[in-house]
Amino acid sequence: MITLIKGADVYAPTPLGINDILIAHDKIVEISPSISLQGGAVTVVDGKGCIAMPGLVDSLVHITGGGGEGGFHTRTPEMQLTEATLAGVTTVVGALGTDATTRTLPDLIAKARALYEEGISAYCYTGSYQLPARTITGSITDDILLIDTMIGIGEVAIADHRGSQPTARELAKVAADARVGGMLSGKGGIVSIHTGDASDQLTLLHEVINTTNIPASQFYPTHINRNQSLLEAGQRWCEAGGFIDMTTSTNEQFIEEGEIPAAQAIAWCLAQGIDASQLTMSSDGNASLPVFDAEGQLIGLEVGKVRSLFDAWQTLAKTEGVFLHDAIAVVTSSPASVLKLKNKGKLAAGCDADIVLCDAQSLDIRDVIARGKHMVSDNGVLIKGTFEA
Ligand code: ZN
């Protein structure tokens, strides 16, 4: 299985200029200005007029479905393969959410493996919103160490009425357990943090790093674009050496109530001088997005879309006045490096062949390759999920 992409403008995400990309099986073998191969067993993809960028890494998707906060009928459906591939997403990290009773870790692992078998890369977090954490083995360390798909824990909820109201001591213990599991298995052992809208914001995380030996980089707080005040708290967290993640799934009501669109939040952070390597976006795909009326009654439910990550990236790249390579980094190399996914988020020899070709003018997706397999061509699906019509 040899594929040669000819003449694309390569963003690794560092801009490399016009290059050919040679792929053998699931890996990138070579990137250079002119690669020619003899023989008939080569699939050639014309990359002219396109940028080539790494496949998007979506660090938070409720791959088995989420929600349920309005009763059983509000549990959202699971993610299907092409919801990711048609949006250029070639790596997802699955998580439970509020519900770790009817949603289970074995189901999450099975779904991650299913997505892998269908062609993309999929990992997951042990635990859920609540502490003490639900685990498979009885131990956070053992889950991360012994279960190949598990790369950390989360989303652990802070500053949220749906969380367990953890103390700094409890959270530090969770981070320490995850850290050791990560170190012993060569994984990130990251603690994904669901940040709610309560006024304590990221105070608990500062307390942990100020009173223990856990570094800020062990935590990965998300939903930081909830409002301007939280975004400013996120800036302070970056100054303390941390990373922050913006959520791209949204609706009109959230924006009216003060949520900052993810692209705008990233552009604001870059303008404050925060490095792109500390900034990421994720979709929160398949989460429920409740709509309430003026009296606070639930009147509708929408479902978060993995697609929103690509749409927010496109907005960031096209209308927010940031460097294209920075816009690409926040959805590729930055999340891959936060999560310590060594072969992800970059275009380089030896890396996984996860590649998105976008029209250089419109930045619309043309082709998507995941682990060397051509999943999307000319914006049409080549490989569907097992049960997709
Ligand atoms: Zn969350």
mmCIF file of all heavy atoms in Angstrom, residues 60 62 129 155 162 193-195 222-223 226 284, ligand 1:
data_model
loop_
_atom_site.group_PDB
_atom_site.id
_atom_site.type_symbol
_atom_site.label_atom_id
_atom_site.label_comp_id
_atom_site.label_asym_id
_atom_site.label_seq_id
_atom_site.Cartn_x
_atom_site.Cartn_y
_atom_site.Cartn_z
ATOM 1 N N LEU A 60 -11.562 15.658 22.740
ATOM 2 C CA LEU A 60 -12.739 15.361 23.583
ATOM 3 C C LEU A 60 -13.976 15.104 22.735
ATOM 4 O O LEU A 60 -14.566 16.022 22.178
ATOM 5 C CB LEU A 60 -13.018 16.514 24.560
ATOM 6 C CG LEU A 60 -14.175 16.253 25.531
ATOM 7 C CD1 LEU A 60 -13.918 15.034 26.406
ATOM 8 C CD2 LEU A 60 -14.445 17.468 26.400
ATOM 9 N N HIS A 62 -17.579 12.555 22.935
ATOM 10 C CA HIS A 62 -18.364 11.548 23.656
ATOM 11 C C HIS A 62 -18.731 10.466 22.643
ATOM 12 O O HIS A 62 -19.850 10.426 22.131
ATOM 13 C CB HIS A 62 -19.566 12.211 24.323
ATOM 14 C CG HIS A 62 -19.142 13.242 25.331
ATOM 15 N ND1 HIS A 62 -18.658 12.898 26.575
ATOM 16 C CD2 HIS A 62 -19.047 14.591 25.259
ATOM 17 C CE1 HIS A 62 -18.310 13.991 27.239
ATOM 18 N NE2 HIS A 62 -18.535 15.040 26.458
ATOM 19 N N TYR A 129 -16.968 12.527 35.065
ATOM 20 C CA TYR A 129 -17.029 13.790 35.805
ATOM 21 C C TYR A 129 -16.664 13.594 37.281
ATOM 22 O O TYR A 129 -16.081 14.457 37.908
ATOM 23 C CB TYR A 129 -18.466 14.351 35.762
ATOM 24 C CG TYR A 129 -18.820 15.261 34.622
ATOM 25 C CD1 TYR A 129 -18.139 15.230 33.414
ATOM 26 C CD2 TYR A 129 -19.867 16.173 34.757
ATOM 27 C CE1 TYR A 129 -18.504 16.073 32.369
ATOM 28 C CE2 TYR A 129 -20.230 17.021 33.714
ATOM 29 C CZ TYR A 129 -19.551 16.962 32.523
ATOM 30 O OH TYR A 129 -19.914 17.795 31.501
ATOM 31 N N GLU A 155 -13.515 13.443 31.557
ATOM 32 C CA GLU A 155 -13.285 14.768 32.062
ATOM 33 C C GLU A 155 -13.681 14.791 33.533
ATOM 34 O O GLU A 155 -14.840 14.566 33.845
ATOM 35 C CB GLU A 155 -14.162 15.815 31.394
ATOM 36 C CG GLU A 155 -14.591 15.651 29.988
ATOM 37 C CD GLU A 155 -15.812 16.509 29.669
ATOM 38 O OE1 GLU A 155 -15.892 17.728 29.994
ATOM 39 O OE2 GLU A 155 -16.740 15.957 29.067
ATOM 40 N N ARG A 162 -22.479 19.664 38.707
ATOM 41 C CA ARG A 162 -22.634 18.242 38.382
ATOM 42 C C ARG A 162 -21.409 17.420 38.791
ATOM 43 O O ARG A 162 -21.407 16.203 38.685
ATOM 44 C CB ARG A 162 -22.869 18.074 36.875
ATOM 45 C CG ARG A 162 -24.190 18.633 36.411
ATOM 46 C CD ARG A 162 -24.220 18.780 34.893
ATOM 47 N NE ARG A 162 -23.275 19.800 34.455
ATOM 48 C CZ ARG A 162 -23.071 20.131 33.178
ATOM 49 N NH1 ARG A 162 -23.706 19.496 32.210
ATOM 50 N NH2 ARG A 162 -22.217 21.084 32.860
ATOM 51 N N ILE A 193 -9.860 18.097 32.330
ATOM 52 C CA ILE A 193 -10.689 18.795 33.318
ATOM 53 C C ILE A 193 -11.868 19.472 32.621
ATOM 54 O O ILE A 193 -11.684 20.322 31.746
ATOM 55 C CB ILE A 193 -9.857 19.871 34.061
ATOM 56 C CG1 ILE A 193 -8.719 19.227 34.868
ATOM 57 C CG2 ILE A 193 -10.753 20.743 34.939
ATOM 58 C CD1 ILE A 193 -9.147 18.531 36.143
ATOM 59 N N HIS A 194 -13.092 19.059 33.001
ATOM 60 C CA HIS A 194 -14.296 19.776 32.565
ATOM 61 C C HIS A 194 -14.447 20.984 33.494
ATOM 62 O O HIS A 194 -14.631 20.817 34.696
ATOM 63 C CB HIS A 194 -15.517 18.859 32.660
ATOM 64 C CG HIS A 194 -16.821 19.585 32.691
ATOM 65 N ND1 HIS A 194 -17.618 19.734 31.569
ATOM 66 C CD2 HIS A 194 -17.459 20.216 33.705
ATOM 67 C CE1 HIS A 194 -18.690 20.434 31.910
ATOM 68 N NE2 HIS A 194 -18.623 20.750 33.192
ATOM 69 N N THR A 195 -14.345 22.187 32.915
ATOM 70 C CA THR A 195 -14.479 23.395 33.723
ATOM 71 C C THR A 195 -15.895 23.924 33.575
ATOM 72 O O THR A 195 -16.328 24.250 32.470
ATOM 73 C CB THR A 195 -13.485 24.475 33.263
ATOM 74 O OG1 THR A 195 -12.202 23.865 33.051
ATOM 75 C CG2 THR A 195 -13.361 25.580 34.304
ATOM 76 N N THR A 222 -10.737 22.107 29.825
ATOM 77 C CA THR A 222 -11.491 22.426 28.607
ATOM 78 C C THR A 222 -12.694 23.318 28.928
ATOM 79 O O THR A 222 -12.957 23.598 30.088
ATOM 80 C CB THR A 222 -11.931 21.141 27.876
ATOM 81 O OG1 THR A 222 -12.536 21.530 26.629
ATOM 82 C CG2 THR A 222 -12.939 20.330 28.675
ATOM 83 N N HIS A 223 -13.387 23.760 27.876
ATOM 84 C CA HIS A 223 -14.534 24.679 27.927
ATOM 85 C C HIS A 223 -14.100 26.075 28.403
ATOM 86 O O HIS A 223 -14.899 26.806 28.997
ATOM 87 C CB HIS A 223 -15.663 24.171 28.843
ATOM 88 C CG HIS A 223 -16.036 22.728 28.659
ATOM 89 N ND1 HIS A 223 -16.157 22.141 27.425
ATOM 90 C CD2 HIS A 223 -16.328 21.752 29.573
ATOM 91 C CE1 HIS A 223 -16.498 20.869 27.584
ATOM 92 N NE2 HIS A 223 -16.600 20.612 28.867
ATOM 93 N N ARG A 226 -16.009 29.489 27.733
ATOM 94 C CA ARG A 226 -17.360 29.629 28.287
ATOM 95 C C ARG A 226 -17.778 31.090 28.450
ATOM 96 O O ARG A 226 -18.926 31.442 28.256
ATOM 97 C CB ARG A 226 -17.378 28.973 29.663
ATOM 98 C CG ARG A 226 -18.544 28.125 29.950
ATOM 99 C CD ARG A 226 -18.341 27.515 31.325
ATOM 100 N NE ARG A 226 -18.130 26.072 31.276
ATOM 101 C CZ ARG A 226 -19.065 25.199 30.912
ATOM 102 N NH1 ARG A 226 -20.254 25.596 30.544
ATOM 103 N NH2 ARG A 226 -18.799 23.908 30.903
ATOM 104 N N ASP A 284 -16.044 18.470 21.691
ATOM 105 C CA ASP A 284 -17.057 18.003 22.653
ATOM 106 C C ASP A 284 -18.193 17.317 21.880
ATOM 107 O O ASP A 284 -19.368 17.420 22.237
ATOM 108 C CB ASP A 284 -17.594 19.172 23.502
ATOM 109 C CG ASP A 284 -18.132 18.715 24.856
ATOM 110 O OD1 ASP A 284 -17.984 17.524 25.190
ATOM 111 O OD2 ASP A 284 -18.716 19.555 25.564
HETATM 112 ZN ZN ZN B 1 -17.331 18.862 29.665
#
